[in-house]
């Protein structure tokens, strides 16, 4: 992929956000908060960082992006379409019968989707498995995993995190979307995570943090993670859930609710004005 | 009245009954895994915050905690989507709950293709199979809003673990609020001579509609609402089948291991007759509306009629 300038990356992220709104409005259900919040990071990953070839989605040399929190899939689908994995028009079919764009990702349905997810906590173990395979093969590619903050409520994550340290998986980078919300409320109220930094550090990981909407910061932090040689790296990405749509920002009730026609129009207006 | 007002989900029936029952029985506590609204325990949480335990996205832990609460004489209602509970926490269900006979009520919502647009990952199509094989566990699949209310009331009276299978989608309310609901007692909703149609869950309504349509074609269908999958009502089913000598079963679940399998096991040992098991045929579901999915996966009324005509 050609690397884009920051201005071009911002433009892509804005288009991805517009796609997300259009897709969800049309589907009538789905999850806007996390998807909108991660659009900047996805734009940077797919248009700047990942070594990938959209027309050769199964190339063994490719970097892998494992979406562990499957309900974020609108941002993955929109980014994949923008990167050229499949036609943009197909985004309209999200969540409809016979669509390749399943309500939660299915690796066998759509090119570019590396794993099936939806049930939280499963992706990171699969990312560890892929990283272990990369080590066995002495391969050069890297494994990027995207997890959500409340996903860390699941014990399975900590089992995977422990394993990644044991095998010193320096080909694994886990980006955690720290947006402080989950379904029933704020993470601090539903299940306090306390310090994810201290937790990961005590599990033997290198911990980095970034502002998930500051492009210079995102690019520099991910590059630093890529260059770290000693073991697995976690990036705590501080984001605003619903970012870019004022009435959705920081509101947990938008975790899993699609905008209606009117709300979608308002959201699109805001997004169009932002470019 | 618009149609939707007459339609409600079984999860709504559960949630509404819970509020009423909780008022009378102070031992009822709810354990939630970050799905309070979707599983309809939100109102309970607001009204009885001291009896509401939110464990976050952690279904294995949730069921273990529920078992502990039960062993300390509470009546825990453990709630999530069925794919996660009893899906993800089956080992905890097996040992912490069933082996110990812990008095836990496991509430699994969003079962079957009826879960709809969330897609295959969220559609529990195997939950009957993995629960009905467990000793000490009762498995209930109510047919509509009214029956879900009664099922919860009976479940709370029952001493021991129960799995209550619920649905997301709104469906017609057609059972009477006054009819009797007893664990292990199937209800004959319509008498017939030519074939026994045994269904559970939301599809019982379609079974009845089909029986009505076929009556006009001189095909007489006996419809059994088998809301208790375990313990199976052997007496009612055998008596019906001895009369009709043909069986069709119907469920929003895999054909392997569900209600149809339970009926086939019973008949193979006691009274072998031709059986057609209708369900999802060994495949995962996908995103879509329940109506479109039922049609595509062969569970709509048209397919039921076709199967009945083939077997008689
Ligand atoms: C194992 C499992 N349990 C429950 C759910 C239902 N669920 C979907 S998203 C979610 C939590 C949302 O919090 P977070 O992952 O932080 O996402 P955000 O709200 O920030 O989008 C839950 C409980 C699930 N998908 N998987
Ligand atoms: Mg979150």
């Amino acid at each position: 992929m050609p690397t884009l300038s920051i201005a071009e990356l911002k433009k892509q992220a804005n288009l991805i956000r517009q796609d997300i709104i259009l897709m969800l409005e049309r589907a009538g259900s789905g999850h806007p908060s996390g998807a909108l919040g991660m659009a900047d990071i996805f734009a940077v990953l797919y248009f700047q960082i990942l070594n990938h070839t959209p027309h050769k989605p199964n190339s063994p040399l490719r970097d892998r992006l494992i979406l562990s929190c499957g309900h974020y899939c609108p941002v993955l689908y929109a980014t994949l379409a923008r990167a050229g994995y499949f036609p943009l028009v197909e985004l309209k079919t999200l969540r409809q019968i016979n669509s390749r764009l399943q309500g939660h990702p299915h690796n066998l349905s759509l090119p570019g989707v590396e794993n099936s997810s939806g049930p939280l906590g499963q992706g990171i173990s699969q990312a560890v498995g892929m990283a272990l395979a990369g080590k066995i093969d002495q391969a050069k590619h890297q494994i990027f995993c995207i997890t959500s903050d409340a996903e860390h409520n699941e014990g399975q994550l900590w089992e995977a995190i422990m394993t990644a340290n044991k095998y010193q998986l320096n080909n694994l980078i886990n980006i955690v979307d720290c947006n402080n919300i989950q379904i029933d409320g704020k993470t601090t109220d539903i299940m306090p995570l306390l310090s994810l930094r201290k937790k990961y550090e005590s599990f033997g990981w290198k911990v980095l943090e970034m502002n998930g909407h500051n492009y210079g910061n995102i690019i520099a932090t991910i590059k630093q993670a890529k260059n770290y040689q000693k073991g697995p790296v976690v990036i705590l990405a501080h984001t605003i859930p619903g970012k870019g749509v004022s009435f959705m920002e920081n509101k947990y009730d938008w975790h899993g609710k699609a905008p209606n026609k009117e709300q979608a129009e308002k959201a699109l207006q805001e997004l169009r004005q932002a470019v | 009245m618009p149609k939707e007002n007459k339609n409600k989900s079984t999860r709504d029936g559960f949630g509404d009954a819970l509020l009423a029952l909780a008022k009378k029985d102070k031992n009822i506590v709810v354990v939630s895994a970050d799905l309070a609204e979707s599983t309809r325990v939100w109102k309970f949480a607001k009204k009885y915050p001291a009896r509401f335990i939110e464990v976050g996205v952690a279904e294995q832990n949730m069921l273990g905690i529920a078992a502990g609460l039960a062993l300390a004489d509470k009546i825990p209602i453990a709630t999530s989507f069925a794919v996660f509970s009893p899906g993800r926490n089956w080992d905890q269900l097996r040992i912490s709950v069933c082996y110990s006979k812990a008095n836990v009520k496991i509430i699994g919502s969003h079962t079957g293709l009826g879960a709809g647009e969330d897609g295959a990952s969220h559609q529990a199509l195997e939950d009957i199979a993995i629960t009905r094989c467990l000793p000490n566990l009762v498995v209930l699949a109510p047919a509509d809003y009214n029956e879900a209310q009664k099922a919860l009331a009976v479940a709370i009276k029952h001493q021991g673990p129960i799995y209550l299978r619920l649905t997301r989608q709104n469906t017609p309310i057609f059972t009477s609020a006054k009819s009797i609901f007893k664990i292990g007692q199937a209800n004959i909703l319509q008498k017939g001579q030519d074939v026994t149609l045994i269904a559970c869950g939301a599809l019982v309504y379609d079974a009845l509609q089909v029986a009505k349509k076929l009556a006009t074609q001189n095909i007489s269908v006996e419809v059994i609402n088998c809301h208790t999958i375990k313990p199976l009502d052997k007496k009612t089913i055998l008596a019906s089948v001895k009369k009709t000598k043909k069986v069709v079963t119907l469920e929003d679940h895999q054909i392997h291991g569900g209600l149809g399998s339970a009926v086939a096991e019973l008949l193979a040992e006691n009274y072998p007759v031709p059986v057609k098991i209708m369900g999802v045929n060994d495949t995962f579901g996908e995103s879509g509306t329940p109506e479109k999915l039922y049609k595509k996966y062969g569970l709509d009324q048209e397919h039921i009629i076709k199967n009945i005509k083939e077997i008689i």
Side-chain angles (χ1 to χ4, degrees), chain A residues 34 71-72 148-151 177-183 187 241 255:
Chain A
H71 67 283
Y72 279 47
S148 57
D149 48 5
E151 198 177 1
D177 179 19
C178 298
N179 67 1
N180 303 316
I181 64 158
Q182 55 196 107
I183 294 186
T187 53
H255 153 87

Side-chain angles (χ1 to χ4, degrees), chain B residues 171-229:
Chain B
T171 48
I173 303 174
F174 64 97
T175 69
S176 144
K178 289 191 198 106
S179 69
I180 288 169
F181 185 98
K182 252 179 98 176
I183 291 174
Q185 192 176 97
N187 297 336
I188 299 178
L189 295 183
Q190 172 155 330
K191 292 227 172 261
Q193 299 296 326
D194 299 330
V195 60
T196 301
L197 177 55
I198 307 175
C200 67
L203 295 179
V204 175
Y205 177 76
D206 298 278
L208 267 178
Q209 294 304 107
V210 161
K212 275 187 201 150
K213 284 182 193 166
L214 288 177
T216 65
Q217 302 172 34
N218 281 331
I219 299 171
S220 159
V221 181
E222 181 141 305
V223 178
I224 298 181
N225 171 13
C226 194
H227 54 64
T228 306
I229 289 152

Side-chain angles (χ1 to χ4, degrees), chain A residues 12 44 49 58 69 91-92 97 101 124 129 148 151 166 181 216 229:
Chain A
Q12 284 298 332
V44 170
I49 301 281
N58 298 321
C69 42
L91 292 177
K92 289 186 194 159
I97 199 158
L101 279 68
I124 183 138
S148 57
E151 198 177 1
K166 176 183 173 191
I181 64 158
Q229 293 299 319

